[in-house]
Amino acid sequence: MASFVTDVLASSGKLEKEDLSGKISKMSRKVEDTKEEVCDMINKRYTDFLPSLQGSEELMVQVDEVSKEMDVLKNCIETEVQQNIHVAVAEYAKLKQQLEKNTIIITMLGHLKEFHNAMEEFNKALVDKKYVDAANQLERARASVDSLKGWKTSQLPLLSALRSELTVQRENLIYHLGDEWKGLVIWRLPSSKEPAGLKSFLKVELNLSHASSKDGETTPPPLLRCVLQALAIQGDLQHKIKLFSQVLLKTMLKPLVMYPSLCVRVTEQQSEGTTLALHCLEESTEERSTPSQVYSKLLLVLKTLHTHLLVCKCVCYFSDVSIGDKKLSAILGELIWEEISQCIIHECLLYSIPTNSSQLEKYNTVIKETEEFEKSLKELEFLQGDSTDLLKYARDVNCHFASKKCKDVIVAARKLMTSKMHNTVKITPDYKLRLPKLPAPGSEVKVKQETTKEELIMENTKQLSAWSLCLPACRISESVQQLMELALNTLCEAVGSSTQCALQLFFTVRNIFQLFYDVVPTYHKENLLKFPHLAAIQHNNCMYLAHHLLTLGHHFRAHLPQPLSEGVATFVDMVPGFRKLGAQCFLAQMNVQRAELLERLSTAHNFCNLDDEDNYIAASKAVRQVIHQLKQLGTVWQDVLPVSIYCKAMGNLLNTAITEVIAKIMMLEDISSEDGEHLHTLCQTIIEEGPLVFIPLAEENKNKKYQEEVPLYVKKWSTFKELVIVLRANLQEIVDRWADGKGPLAVEFSSSEVKNLIRALFQNTERRAVALTKIK
Amino acid sequence: MDDDVLTTLKLLIIGESGVGKSSLLLRFTEDTFDPEQSATIGVDFKVKTLAIDGNRAKLAIWDTAGQERFRTLTPSYYRGAQGVILVYDVTKRDTFMKLENWLNELETYTTRNDIVKMLVGNKIDKDDHEVDRNEGLKFARKHSMLFIEASAKTKDGVQCAFEELVEKILQTPGLWESENQGQKLRLGDQEQGGGRACGGYCSIP
């Protein structure tokens, strides 16, 4: 081991030694190099660089000087040149302005020249009656003036002078044109003093003359056309035509629509031109002309106008605004159409609407005629749009039909309601409304009805009377029956009509009844209170209406259109109102009668001291009057009120009377035997004659039944009878009728009442005392 | 006057129109007969005193109208009635058939349950009978009624009908005394009333 370490150490030492010598030699080489380099550097610096530095510094100074000199020169140049530029610009601007001014003056002068030329041309044309040229020239002049106006700079006095000259010339032209127009289109009108009417219109004439034809030129532009064109160019045509249309409407077209006997005659004469004159046809007596008559008359007038007046096609300017090519007939059409179509609708079509649906089909011809009329007008170019008011109106005939129908129906209904009520007709239980036969609603319903019928038969062999649920026999106003018929007819119309129409008609029928409800009680108010007969009729009328309203809706429902068929079509809601109305009316009358009965009885001095003759006469008179009043009521209500109502009413009134009599007698404290006798006589009169006022039927022999039934209708009848018995009875008889509280006397009177009666009737004796003990 | 009567009894005569209700009453009260007897209007009333076994009873007899049209008045007549005579015509079967209806009405309006009923087949003097005696009897039994055939014209059975009815009423405990008792009760004297009712009851053999 040790030998290896020494080896290593020995070798390393040897190595280091070799290395060092190498390094030192390298170092010495480097030092040599560095020495050379430093020497070189120093040489370069001091021999080459410094002299050149000195040179460049000198050059720097020289450059500075030159640049200074340049700056000075530059400033000098700048100030000098700019001054010169300003002067030049100003000079050019001036020159330009002058040029422009000159140009303007030249154009203005051009316009002025043009204006002058136009005016000259115009005057020439005007003298030659070349109105179209004249108008054109004037238009040119106007254009010139307008161009001049474009420059607002100067020459204002000149401009206004030009303008006024233009205006004067324009007026002049228009005046001439108007003059010519007047000569060409001559109206003969009725004087305004005359009352407007058929006769005044007979003088109306329109003359369209051909003034130009006399010149004998081969193809003369008709003067009228020139005039019109000139007017158009001057923008005055609209105004002229408007005036013309107004006169045409007022004096020719409207009278033709309104008076069927008026007719228009067209005459053409070489010298005078064409004349349209109104004259009268004598044979016409109808109140309104038919649409076709009106259409043909109007067409004749308009066609004549078209051929003689309106054929020229004008380029029209209206107050600077061009509305382009438009035929004169179109302008006239626009002006008159709205008014004349309204006039035709209101004066002619309105009256041609049929009154029932059967005529409705025939109305198609009127619609066709209206279409033709409009088509002709379109060919003449009076009309441009498609379907207008007129045709729309005719086509909506269904709607108008319904409206008209409804109006007619309501008017008729009102007339019926305000007519006299006392013309009556008899209604019997077998009376049936004349209901129309409508197709059966559907087979299903039928089957159902049959089954219910069978069930009924199975359940109960006894059937209800055929007359149960029928209105009892009574009298109603003829007018009300007619009213019901009116309602039925209107509903029948509704069944075959369009939905809109049916709805309108249906609600009109409802309105009829509503109207009855409101109008009749008010309109007849006084009479209903004054006359018991009328009150009874009104009662019946209301019940009659209520009775039929119950089923009226049901009868028609299935045949009416949608919302109605689903249950809206009903009158049942009105039934209680009508019943109440009838009841109230009759009750009011009952109260009047009641008050009168009591008033009559009040003159009887409470039936006391009848042994005095005056008292007896007064009481007897009162009783007679009561019977008489009842008898009269019984007569006026006979055959009018239903029997049951009659008996109830009469029974009630008789009951009022006897209740009053009973009360008065019961209040008497002392009744002498003579008093009792008189009282008995009076009461016996009532007992005997009271039932005789019950005569509900016209057949005298059938009334006995109701007279027997008086105890049923008069609540206090048996009470009254007991009282009458007591008035003439002896004590034993009274006790017997009391029968220990088991007799009829005990049913009608209390024990104390009977005791009081006994005390009043009998003197205080032992027998009376015994009798009194029996009344317990 | 009638101090010696034991009680006043309310009797009712009902039945179809024309069976002879009024004739029965006339025969009983006045012992007469009117072949032209008119239809009763509303109601008729008669009083008669009848002696039964030494006891006198005062009868307040209500003769009702048989016609349908007067039926509305009848309910008030039924009140307090103790006996009812139900009449049919032996020569008219339908008057017998209608008895059910009358019983119904009776039940509806009567104010007491123990009312005594007497069925009378009237007009046996006539030949053409349509209702056999046995049928009447059977019907009466079925509805626990007394039964008799009678003729107002020949007097047959009339007196008997009323007498039997009254006798039965008097025998029925609490029917005729009860109202006396009731009256006493109302007066507040309960003991004495009870005693009298008891006495009445014991008097019936």
Side-chain angles (χ1 to χ4, degrees):
Chain A
M1 283 290 277
S3 62
F4 181 70
V5 174
T6 48
D7 271 356
V8 170
L9 286 172
S11 64
S12 72
K14 212 169 88 198
L15 280 173
E16 271 175 36
K17 259 185 221 162
E18 277 176 18
D19 220 23
L20 274 173
S21 64
K23 277 182 184 173
I24 289 167
S25 64
K26 259 186 194 170
M27 280 294 282
S28 49
R29 258 199 318 267
K30 266 190 184 169
V31 169
E32 276 305 310
D33 284 348
T34 313
K35 226 161 70 182
E36 259 175 61
E37 255 177 63
V38 169
C39 187
D40 199 31
M41 272 300 287
I42 291 168
N43 267 339
K44 266 184 187 166
R45 182 170 169 99
Y46 288 99
T47 58
D48 297 342
F49 177 69
L50 282 180
S52 74
L53 181 70
Q54 234 168 4
S56 9
E57 272 171 357
E58 273 168 23
L59 272 175
M60 278 293 283
V61 174
Q62 272 178 5
V63 166
D64 278 350
E65 269 172 24
V66 170
S67 87
K68 258 181 205 160
E69 262 175 50
M70 276 173 75
D71 278 348
V72 170
L73 193 63
K74 200 181 149 197
N75 281 340
C76 213
I77 289 168
E78 263 178 19
T79 46
E80 193 119 332
V81 168
Q82 247 163 8
Q83 264 177 355
N84 284 341
I85 283 176
H86 278 304
V87 172
V89 165
E91 220 163 295
Y92 271 112
K94 240 184 226 163
L95 285 173
K96 201 182 153 207
Q97 255 177 353
Q98 218 155 9
L99 185 63
E100 276 170 3
K101 221 177 186 174
N102 288 341
T103 318
I104 289 167
I105 287 164
I106 286 168
T107 40
M108 280 173 82
L109 286 173
H111 284 310
L112 275 175
K113 182 179 164 267
E114 184 126 335
F115 178 78
H116 176 74
N117 284 344
M119 280 309 208
E120 237 161 44
E121 291 283 329
F122 163 74
N123 281 328
K124 218 186 273 168
L126 192 59
V127 171
D128 292 350
K129 292 199 170 178
K130 285 177 185 165
Y131 292 115
V132 180
D133 288 350
N136 279 329
Q137 294 304 335
L138 201 59
E139 203 54 30
R140 254 178 66 206
R142 201 171 63 87
S144 308
V145 175
D146 283 346
S147 322
L148 285 178
K149 211 170 73 184
W151 290 285
K152 295 166 195 162
T153 44
S154 58
Q155 281 119 338
L156 270 175
L158 172 63
L159 200 58
S160 62
L162 288 179
R163 293 273 291 281
S164 64
E165 173 63 13
L166 183 66
T167 313
V168 166
Q169 287 310 324
R170 185 168 178 268
E171 291 305 319
N172 187 20
L173 173 64
I174 287 170
Y175 173 75
H176 271 88
L177 290 174
D179 235 23
E180 290 291 352
W181 169 266
K182 262 187 223 160
L184 291 170
V185 180
I186 305 155
W187 278 105
R188 245 183 64 195
L189 301 172
S191 72
S192 53
K193 280 174 207 162
E194 269 180 81
L198 177 60
K199 289 216 172 136
S200 67
F201 290 116
L202 286 177
K203 292 180 185 167
V204 172
E205 230 179 73
L206 173 61
N207 191 354
L208 306 167
S209 63
H210 317 287
S212 58
S213 59
K214 63 188 168 190
D215 295 346
E217 291 169 40
T218 43
T219 49
L223 182 60
L224 181 59
R225 196 182 291 185
C226 290
V227 171
L228 288 173
Q229 205 158 353
L231 279 170
I233 292 164
Q234 281 307 311
D236 208 38
L237 186 59
Q238 183 88 358
H239 177 65
K240 217 56 192 192
I241 294 291
K242 197 173 174 185
L243 288 175
F244 175 73
S245 75
Q246 278 166 356
V247 178
L248 185 68
L249 262 177
K250 201 179 145 207
T251 60
M252 193 166 272
L253 298 181
K254 277 189 177 175
L256 280 175
V257 175
M258 274 154 36
Y259 302 102
S261 53
L262 270 188
C263 199
V264 69
R265 185 175 43 204
V266 182
T267 47
E268 271 188 75
Q269 284 174 318
Q270 275 296 308
S271 54
E272 288 173 30
T274 313
T275 310
L276 288 162
L278 294 183
H279 67 108
C280 191
L281 285 176
E282 271 175 41
E283 70 263 35
S284 176
T285 48
E286 288 168 59
E287 230 173 280
R288 301 285 169 191
S289 29
T290 64
S292 63
Q293 285 172 331
V294 167
Y295 293 158
S296 64
K297 284 181 204 166
L298 292 184
L299 266 183
L300 180 60
V301 172
L302 292 174
K303 264 184 185 156
T304 313
L305 284 179
H306 186 256
T307 44
H308 291 97
L309 180 63
L310 309 169
V311 274
C312 54
K313 192 173 177 179
C314 320
V315 181
C316 311
Y317 298 95
F318 297 109
S319 54
D320 287 325
V321 184
S322 161
I323 56 167
D325 289 356
K326 210 168 186 182
K327 285 234 169 154
L328 204 57
S329 51
I331 297 167
L332 185 62
E334 248 174 35
L335 285 169
I336 62 168
W337 179 246
E338 198 179 316
E339 208 166 332
I340 195 69
S341 63
Q342 284 303 317
C343 181
I344 293 173
I345 288 170
H346 288 121
E347 297 293 337
C348 172
L349 285 183
L350 189 66
Y351 298 96
S352 71
I353 301 284
T355 42
N356 63 42
S357 49
S358 60
Q359 292 171 336
L360 202 55
E361 303 249 318
K362 289 185 205 154
Y363 201 72
N364 271 332
T365 56
V366 175
I367 296 177
K368 221 168 259 167
E369 278 164 11
T370 310
E371 270 168 8
E372 289 290 319
F373 178 61
E374 289 208 343
K375 213 172 114 192
S376 309
L377 290 187
K378 256 178 237 171
E379 274 163 15
L380 297 176
E381 287 179 78
F382 277 105
L383 264 182
Q384 280 167 328
D386 276 336
S387 172
T388 61
D389 294 347
L390 191 64
L391 191 55
K392 226 185 268 165
Y393 187 87
R395 278 180 182 155
D396 288 346
V397 65
N398 271 325
C399 219
H400 304 305
F401 167 69
S403 301
K404 185 179 179 175
K405 182 89 197 159
C406 292
K407 207 176 95 193
D408 290 352
V409 164
I410 289 286
V411 167
R414 211 189 146 80
K415 213 169 167 188
L416 285 174
M417 286 171 209
T418 51
S419 66
K420 296 252 155 68
M421 290 174 69
H422 57 247
N423 291 333
T424 58
V425 285
K426 178 98 182 175
I427 299 293
T428 53
D430 50 348
Y431 164 87
K432 289 225 166 64
L433 281 184
R434 264 171 258 156
L435 287 169
K437 273 182 192 160
L438 297 166
S443 52
E444 258 178 83
V445 185
K446 240 186 181 174
V447 172
K448 231 181 182 177
Q449 279 177 337
E450 273 167 23
T451 53
T452 49
K453 236 181 204 171
E454 268 171 39
E455 274 169 33
L456 267 175
I457 292 165
M458 279 160 69
E459 264 178 30
N460 194 351
T461 47
K462 265 194 177 173
Q463 294 290 299
L464 287 172
S465 151
W467 289 349
S468 39
L469 305 181
C470 282
L471 194 71
C474 64
R475 284 194 169 270
I476 61 165
S477 298
E478 202 175 4
S479 61
V480 169
Q481 194 183 33
Q482 285 162 355
L483 189 73
M484 199 67 205
E485 268 161 26
L486 182 69
L488 277 180
N489 290 338
T490 311
L491 284 173
C492 286
E493 292 272 8
V495 165
S497 307
S498 63
T499 306
Q500 184 55 38
C501 200
L503 274 170
Q504 217 172 332
L505 286 171
F506 173 79
F507 284 104
T508 302
V509 174
R510 277 189 66 97
N511 285 344
I512 291 178
F513 293 120
Q514 196 60 53
L515 197 66
F516 182 93
Y517 187 88
D518 294 329
V519 165
V520 175
T522 316
Y523 187 83
H524 298 285
K525 194 176 182 186
E526 268 179 50
N527 286 345
L528 288 175
L529 276 177
K530 218 193 279 176
F531 302 110
H533 181 227
L534 282 190
I537 290 171
Q538 168 69 355
H539 166 268
N540 293 348
N541 288 344
C542 292
M543 295 304 166
Y544 169 85
L545 290 176
H547 180 78
H548 290 296
L549 287 183
L550 276 173
T551 51
L552 192 60
H554 177 78
H555 186 86
F556 287 95
R557 184 179 301 162
H559 306 279
L560 290 170
Q562 250 302 308
L564 294 176
S565 62
E566 278 170 351
V568 181
T570 186
F571 298 92
V572 174
D573 54 317
M574 299 176 132
V575 169
F578 271 99
R579 288 187 176 151
K580 205 172 155 196
L581 189 66
Q584 271 172 347
C585 166
F586 192 63
L587 267 179
Q589 180 59 230
M590 285 289 282
N591 282 329
V592 169
Q593 296 298 332
R594 231 177 91 93
E596 208 169 311
L597 282 176
L598 294 176
E599 169 74 28
R600 290 182 198 283
L601 280 175
S602 71
T603 61
H605 304 305
N606 295 331
F607 293 99
C608 62
N609 298 329
L610 292 187
D611 40 6
D612 179 276
E613 187 157 351
D614 288 345
N615 280 348
Y616 178 67
I617 287 170
S620 168
K621 211 169 179 182
V623 168
R624 290 258 134 241
Q625 284 177 348
V626 164
I627 300 272
H628 184 252
Q629 187 191 335
L630 289 172
K631 209 173 256 170
Q632 276 199 322
L633 281 179
T635 310
V636 297
W637 285 343
Q638 180 186 66
D639 200 38
V640 172
L641 283 174
V643 171
S644 63
I645 304 289
Y646 179 99
C647 292
K648 255 195 220 171
M650 293 300 295
N652 202 303
L653 291 173
L654 182 55
N655 195 51
T656 303
I658 64 170
T659 307
E660 179 74 1
V661 173
I662 291 169
K664 291 283 183 274
I665 295 177
M666 296 303 285
M667 270 157 61
L668 297 176
E669 285 178 3
D670 182 38
I671 305 169
S672 69
S673 58
E674 203 183 335
D675 278 351
E677 210 40 53
H678 282 318
L679 275 177
H680 184 270
T681 313
L682 289 180
C683 293
Q684 196 59 34
T685 313
I686 298 177
I687 296 251
E688 278 161 17
E689 296 190 22
L692 297 183
V693 304
F694 284 74
I695 40 169
L697 299 176
E699 303 97 318
E700 205 53 59
N701 54 339
K702 285 189 182 166
N703 286 323
K704 190 159 185 263
K705 175 176 181 282
Y706 303 104
Q707 292 165 4
E708 286 173 358
E709 285 170 6
V710 163
L712 295 177
Y713 310 127
V714 185
K715 226 173 96 195
K716 289 279 184 183
W717 188 251
S718 21
T719 311
F720 190 60
K721 270 177 94 174
E722 285 304 315
L723 179 64
V724 174
I725 291 171
V726 168
L727 284 175
R728 226 184 191 177
N730 59 37
L731 280 168
Q732 180 60 48
E733 282 163 344
I734 294 172
V735 170
D736 275 352
R737 283 203 86 79
W738 181 262
D740 234 358
K742 284 167 182 166
L745 191 54
V747 172
E748 308 299 347
F749 293 104
S750 71
S751 59
S752 61
E753 280 172 332
V754 176
K755 281 182 191 165
N756 283 341
L757 259 180
I758 291 173
R759 288 189 189 111
L761 282 165
F762 299 96
Q763 288 184 327
N764 192 0
T765 59
E766 207 169 304
R767 279 173 62 81
R768 190 182 88 170
V770 172
L772 284 174
T773 58
K774 304 264 181 196
I775 313 295
K776 284 179 270 197
Chain B
M1 283 184 272
D2 38 31
D3 298 325
D4 52 341
V5 290
L6 184 64
T7 181
T8 303
L9 298 178
K10 180 170 181 178
L11 303 185
L12 208 59
I13 309 178
I14 58 176
E16 283 299 297
S17 172
V19 296
K21 297 182 292 297
S22 298
S23 292
L24 283 171
L25 183 60
L26 196 65
R27 171 63 74 196
F28 176 62
T29 54
E30 280 155 49
D31 198 21
T32 56
F33 179 76
D34 178 6
E36 303 291 319
Q37 180 74 40
S38 61
T40 309
I41 305 296
V43 74
D44 204 1
F45 176 77
K46 287 274 180 333
V47 185
K48 186 176 166 91
T49 313
L50 191 66
I52 302 281
D53 301 333
N55 292 320
R56 282 160 59 82
K58 189 173 177 180
L59 307 181
I61 310 167
W62 293 67
D63 174 23
T64 65
Q67 285 178 12
E68 187 97 33
R69 55 195 176 124
F70 295 112
R71 296 274 168 84
T72 51
L73 294 172
T74 38
S76 61
Y77 307 147
Y78 285 92
R79 194 183 308 124
Q82 287 137 309
V84 62
I85 294 176
L86 197 52
V87 188
Y88 68 93
D89 180 348
V90 293
T91 68
K92 281 188 183 135
R93 185 151 194 92
D94 59 315
T95 63
F96 181 72
M97 301 308 290
K98 290 274 173 69
L99 289 175
E100 285 280 5
N101 291 351
W102 284 104
L103 283 170
N104 248 331
E105 192 171 312
L106 186 64
E107 210 162 289
T108 310
Y109 294 118
T110 190
T111 49
R112 34 174 99 232
N113 300 322
D114 50 0
I115 184 166
V116 178
K117 288 165 278 187
M118 160 70 80
L119 183 62
V120 175
N122 194 20
K123 305 194 186 178
I124 49 165
D125 55 293
K126 289 195 178 178
D127 296 326
D128 45 351
H129 287 203
E130 283 182 12
V131 185
D132 187 57
R133 186 189 142 79
N134 283 327
E135 266 183 284
L137 193 60
K138 207 173 142 193
F139 185 82
R141 275 214 194 108
K142 186 181 162 196
H143 295 282
S144 35
M145 292 187 281
L146 301 168
F147 176 69
I148 196 166
E149 284 194 319
S151 165
K153 192 177 177 182
T154 63
K155 285 196 195 183
D156 272 338
V158 176
Q159 187 74 13
C160 192
F162 282 92
E163 281 174 2
E164 272 194 41
L165 180 67
V166 172
E167 200 177 327
K168 178 76 178 188
I169 293 170
L170 293 177
Q171 285 170 7
T172 307
L175 181 52
W176 58 275
E177 315 90 327
S178 64
E179 67 177 14
N180 287 343
Q181 180 193 18
Q183 265 180 355
K184 291 287 191 296
L185 266 174
R186 254 178 277 143
L187 292 170
D189 194 350
Q190 197 174 8
E191 235 173 87
Q192 194 188 346
R196 274 188 67 175
C198 185
Y201 179 72
C202 294
S203 74
I204 296 161

